[in-house]
Amino acid sequence: MAWDDYIEDEYIDTPEVEIVEENIYVDEKFIKNKELIRLDLNIIQFPIFSKNTQRKVNQVVKYFFNKNHDTYITVSPKAGDYIPGEMEEKVFIALMEIMKEKHMPQKFVVSASELRDKLKINSGRYITMIKKSLLRISETNYNFKNTMYSSELGGTIKEEISTSILSLRVVNLSLKMNAGYREKINDKRIKEIYEISISDHFYKNIIKKGYLVYNSETLLNINSSTARTIYMLIEKIRFQNLYLKLDTLFLIKRIPLKYDKKNISQTVKILKNALDELVEKNLILDFKFIKESTWEKSEIEINFPESANDEKQNRFYEDRNDFRKLITTNGVSETEHVMLEVPTEENIDRILGLLPSKARNLKTMERTIGEAIEKYGYEKVKNAAIYTKEQKADKIRSYFLKTLENNWADDIEEPIARSSKIDFKTIQDENTHKDVSQWDRSLYMAFEKLPENIQNGIETYAYRDYIKECGMETKIQQMAFKYSREKYICEFLEKHPEILKDEEEVQEKIEPVEKPILTDMNAIKEKIIQTVELGDMIYSYEEEEKKNLLKNILKEVVFLNLKNQLTEETLGAVIEKYIKL
């Protein structure tokens, strides 16, 4: 073997590595609403892309999120490079848009010209700019300690995770080994393309955990990186509220911007310019700084336009429908994709009603519930509230959060069954060997002679009466009604004897309907379907559950139609009975 036939190690001559540590927790003495610092940390809130325009080569940045310095994110660039900044943030947003267009695969290919079009870059140097940004993103390492959210765990990973956002392979189309790629590229002027593979931690969260949905065009059209971060952050924090009050210092630390007590007014000026841009682009309605003493103790009030909630829900709804269309293509189970639920005042109030009554006296409870719904989904939060009440916890909020974090209420049917004290064997035996004197059996015989559609309507009403008496609707109640169906139908008919009277006699007793009767069946059907879909957007129904909702609503609508009582008001009442929006 020739002496020069060996692999030589290549050493890169770089400056000394500099590590910068930034404390981005906020001292509690400056914060009036201390709960804000405890918001769920995800990709929207992580300082993945630096706002610092004075970044240095080999500068490692460590962001601390608490005083103990055991909750942090470390951003480490490749030797001889900088950590990702504004350009990389825009490239990443564009990649997310292209990934969606390519049916959400974890690995996909993209050309510089595709990214150029998304980013609206006019420079002739766009290939160099984009390639450098892609390399910088892929070669930067992130260490998450007690900060990274995991969809698989349903919470924050309690140890250190080291990962990049994505991996990159630069594919040279002139090489024979890449001929397969070349055949798929129509533009023969393209010399290389980029194979992108989103890292597991980020991809699994996007697919399974859910996420807030943003309009990529809106994000890319925001000129200031600070304004873009503020917009993404406040859209998450505000839930469905059109008013938001934040501590100025919280926002400075969370972006994060440079914090210097002696020169904080300059940082506030950067915040003001960023918020001005959001007003100009109609992403917020207006804002106001409230400064009674120092800037450290000041607050910011932000108002949002009336259209903000509709736009937020429409983004969520449309993205959900798009994803469902992509499920078959990618072989992703729909049950794995739990969209982030948007908390509503009604949902929050409903959960408050399930918790011990003292929960309403806790000032932070509503916000805690809203954050929990967004993080865990309505059903899991509902179960946790029921479980917390059953355990008669002294520290309601703390126990409620621990129940969610430790999945104590995942098997909630068992405690519900205990509290309801339902013995299925007894139910079956009572129904099989019932004493006929308990109810008027002749009512059921008359019931059986009615047309099937009328029977279905009566049974639906009887079931709703039964659920109202129970105070809750679970599988336990559903099975109990099934076993004693005849009894409950007869009891309902006893309360409403007019249902079984001659049609002429009934007509005499029906009060004139003042409001116009609905006759357009297509419009009625469309309204019902749209409302069920809206409910699906909030509660993430199973497919069978959606079918049952439609069937039950239509049963009642048919019953009202037969009685000539189907109006906008009665239709709305039926829909509201089944779908509490």
Side-chain angles (χ1 to χ4, degrees):
M1 182 177 72
W3 285 107
D4 59 350
D5 189 10
Y6 66 97
I7 298 175
E8 182 178 358
D9 290 334
E10 182 180 1
Y11 295 90
I12 301 174
D13 185 15
T14 61
E16 182 180 352
V17 172
E18 175 188 3
I19 298 179
V20 177
E21 295 185 350
E22 295 189 23
N23 296 316
I24 61 175
Y25 73 91
V26 185
D27 194 326
E28 290 190 350
K29 69 183 179 183
F30 291 132
I31 300 300
K32 295 176 183 176
N33 189 342
K34 300 179 179 63
E35 288 300 309
L36 288 178
I37 200 66
R38 300 180 184 178
L39 286 171
D40 174 35
L41 303 173
N42 60 27
I43 191 69
I44 296 165
Q45 295 173 282
F46 289 157
I48 300 293
F49 303 101
S50 175
K51 305 298 175 289
N52 184 3
T53 56
Q54 306 297 320
R55 290 167 293 151
K56 299 177 182 178
V57 170
N58 283 358
Q59 188 179 70
V60 176
V61 181
K62 196 168 188 177
Y63 301 99
F64 291 103
F65 291 87
N66 66 350
K67 271 187 175 180
N68 297 331
H69 286 199
D70 61 358
T71 300
Y72 57 80
I73 298 171
T74 305
V75 188
S76 306
K78 177 190 175 184
D81 202 359
Y82 307 91
I83 61 174
E86 182 172 3
M87 180 61 184
E88 287 71 40
E89 180 181 44
K90 288 185 173 182
V91 168
F92 182 74
I93 292 168
L95 283 175
M96 292 298 97
E97 184 177 354
I98 291 169
M99 184 173 79
K100 174 78 173 288
E101 291 173 359
K102 293 180 183 291
H103 297 180
M104 300 296 287
Q106 184 172 5
K107 182 184 289 187
F108 57 96
V109 294
V110 62
S111 65
S113 57
E114 283 181 276
L115 287 167
R116 174 201 60 195
D117 294 343
K118 297 293 182 189
L119 296 166
K120 297 181 174 60
I121 297 176
N122 296 320
S123 171
R125 296 181 58 254
Y126 74 89
I127 294 177
T128 301
M129 293 166 60
I130 288 171
K131 184 175 181 179
K132 180 181 277 189
S133 291
L134 287 173
L135 287 167
R136 182 169 289 150
I137 296 172
S138 66
E139 293 168 346
T140 298
N141 190 71
Y142 294 86
N143 275 69
F144 296 84
K145 180 67 182 293
N146 295 325
T147 48
M148 172 163 266
Y149 178 88
S150 167
S151 60
E152 294 176 318
L153 294 178
T156 303
I157 299 174
K158 301 297 183 184
E159 57 236 3
E160 193 159 358
I161 299 295
S162 179
T163 182
S164 61
I165 299 177
L166 55 85
S167 60
L168 171 72
R169 178 185 164 217
V170 180
V171 180
N172 187 334
L173 296 178
S174 65
L175 298 178
K176 187 176 181 180
M177 60 183 290
N178 296 323
Y181 285 107
R182 165 53 72 191
E183 292 172 3
K184 297 175 183 178
I185 305 297
N186 295 325
D187 189 344
K188 302 307 176 185
R189 294 172 299 175
I190 296 175
K191 305 300 181 186
E192 65 182 22
I193 56 175
Y194 311 111
E195 185 181 79
I196 307 292
S197 183
I198 306 298
S199 298
D200 282 348
H201 287 291
F202 295 96
Y203 186 73
K204 286 176 181 177
N205 283 345
I206 289 171
I207 296 299
K208 294 183 182 180
K209 181 258 179 180
Y211 46 89
L212 281 180
V213 180
Y214 296 96
N215 184 299
S216 60
E217 289 297 309
T218 299
L219 295 180
L220 291 173
N221 285 332
I222 297 174
N223 298 321
S224 162
S225 177
T226 299
R228 189 181 307 112
T229 298
I230 292 174
Y231 170 66
M232 289 192 290
L233 185 61
I234 62 178
E235 274 292 278
K236 176 175 171 58
I237 294 173
R238 76 176 182 86
F239 304 129
Q240 292 292 89
N241 299 314
L242 295 176
Y243 168 80
L244 190 62
K245 181 185 279 188
L246 297 170
D247 296 279
T248 304
L249 193 58
F250 163 79
L251 205 52
I252 289 171
K253 294 277 190 173
R254 208 57 168 172
I255 291 173
L257 295 175
K258 183 177 181 181
Y259 172 57
D260 181 352
K261 288 184 179 180
K262 296 179 181 179
N263 206 21
I264 190 172
S265 59
Q266 290 300 313
T267 304
V268 171
K269 187 176 180 181
I270 294 172
L271 276 182
K272 181 182 182 303
N273 291 338
L275 289 165
D276 280 334
E277 182 179 354
L278 297 182
V279 171
E280 182 186 336
K281 290 184 163 56
N282 200 34
L283 296 174
I284 62 174
L285 187 63
D286 55 46
F287 68 94
K288 180 172 71 174
F289 285 94
I290 303 172
K291 180 174 178 267
E292 296 177 355
S293 55
T294 64
W295 278 117
E296 284 87 354
K297 296 180 181 179
S298 68
E299 296 175 298
I300 307 171
E301 287 186 331
I302 303 174
N303 291 298
F304 297 82
E306 290 290 335
S307 60
N309 282 346
D310 287 339
E311 290 171 3
K312 188 174 186 178
Q313 288 201 351
N314 286 340
R315 292 197 305 267
F316 180 91
Y317 177 71
E318 290 171 10
D319 181 81
R320 183 184 181 87
N321 282 345
D322 287 344
F323 188 88
R324 284 177 168 172
K325 293 173 186 176
L326 303 177
I327 286 169
T328 306
T329 307
N330 292 292
V332 179
S333 169
E334 184 172 3
T335 58
E336 290 181 335
H337 182 253
V338 182
M339 298 293 288
L340 182 66
E341 297 191 31
V342 180
T344 63
E345 289 182 13
E346 291 82 1
N347 277 355
I348 293 171
D349 192 62
R350 199 173 297 131
I351 297 297
L352 267 175
L354 295 173
L355 287 162
S357 57
K358 290 190 294 184
R360 290 191 179 275
N361 299 327
L362 301 176
K363 293 181 180 179
T364 60
M365 203 64 212
E366 288 189 17
R367 179 176 292 278
T368 298
I369 292 170
E371 293 169 8
I373 291 173
E374 187 180 84
K375 181 174 180 178
Y376 296 103
Y378 175 79
E379 283 302 316
K380 183 165 183 173
V381 173
K382 180 186 75 174
N383 290 348
I386 294 169
Y387 187 82
T388 300
K389 185 172 184 179
E390 288 185 346
Q391 302 307 308
K392 298 179 181 178
D394 292 330
K395 297 181 178 179
I396 297 170
R397 182 182 172 279
S398 176
Y399 195 90
F400 172 70
L401 289 173
K402 286 180 180 177
T403 299
L404 289 167
E405 291 170 3
N406 297 298
N407 303 314
W408 291 341
D410 278 6
D411 190 18
I412 192 63
E413 285 191 4
E414 186 179 345
I416 288 177
R418 286 199 302 271
S419 64
S420 302
K421 296 180 181 177
I422 296 175
D423 186 335
F424 290 112
K425 186 176 186 302
T426 304
I427 291 170
Q428 286 179 290
D429 290 345
E430 286 180 356
N431 203 39
T432 306
H433 307 290
K434 57 184 173 287
D435 180 358
V436 178
S437 64
Q438 289 178 355
W439 64 84
D440 187 350
R441 184 73 171 73
S442 65
L443 290 175
Y444 192 78
M445 294 171 66
F447 167 80
E448 290 183 311
K449 294 177 182 178
L450 295 172
E452 185 180 352
N453 55 352
I454 301 294
Q455 289 186 33
N456 291 337
I458 292 172
E459 183 175 342
T460 300
Y461 278 114
Y463 176 71
R464 299 315 301 175
D465 272 11
Y466 164 73
I467 292 300
K468 190 175 181 181
E469 288 179 12
C470 292
M472 66 178 70
E473 182 177 11
T474 69
K475 291 179 182 178
I476 304 295
Q477 275 71 41
Q478 291 170 4
M479 293 174 71
F481 180 85
K482 179 182 176 182
Y483 287 124
S484 298
R485 171 178 171 274
E486 185 175 328
K487 170 181 179 291
Y488 294 118
I489 288 173
C490 288
E491 288 179 349
F492 177 79
L493 291 172
E494 284 177 354
K495 294 178 187 175
H496 304 278
E498 71 278 3
I499 292 175
L500 296 176
K501 292 183 179 179
D502 291 338
E503 187 177 349
E504 290 182 6
E505 189 178 348
V506 175
Q507 288 296 332
E508 289 175 6
K509 294 188 177 182
I510 295 177
E511 296 180 2
V513 180
E514 297 178 0
K515 298 193 176 181
I517 303 299
L518 299 179
T519 57
D520 187 342
M521 292 300 130
N522 287 331
I524 293 167
K525 181 181 177 183
E526 184 65 26
K527 183 171 183 176
I528 293 170
I529 292 173
Q530 285 180 352
T531 311
V532 171
E533 288 296 333
L534 182 60
D536 183 31
M537 183 178 74
I538 298 172
Y539 302 119
S540 300
Y541 299 132
E542 298 292 338
E543 202 58 42
E544 191 62 31
E545 194 176 1
K546 279 178 64 177
K547 288 179 182 177
N548 287 335
L549 277 174
L550 283 169
K551 184 173 74 173
N552 290 333
I553 292 171
L554 288 171
K555 279 181 183 178
E556 293 209 31
V557 168
V558 168
F559 188 66
L560 288 169
N561 186 54
L562 287 169
K563 294 180 69 175
N564 204 31
Q565 294 178 348
L566 186 57
T567 65
E568 285 285 354
E569 186 175 354
T570 56
L571 175 61
V574 171
I575 292 174
E576 186 179 356
K577 187 184 295 184
Y578 289 95
I579 304 174
K580 306 277 186 189
L581 294 178

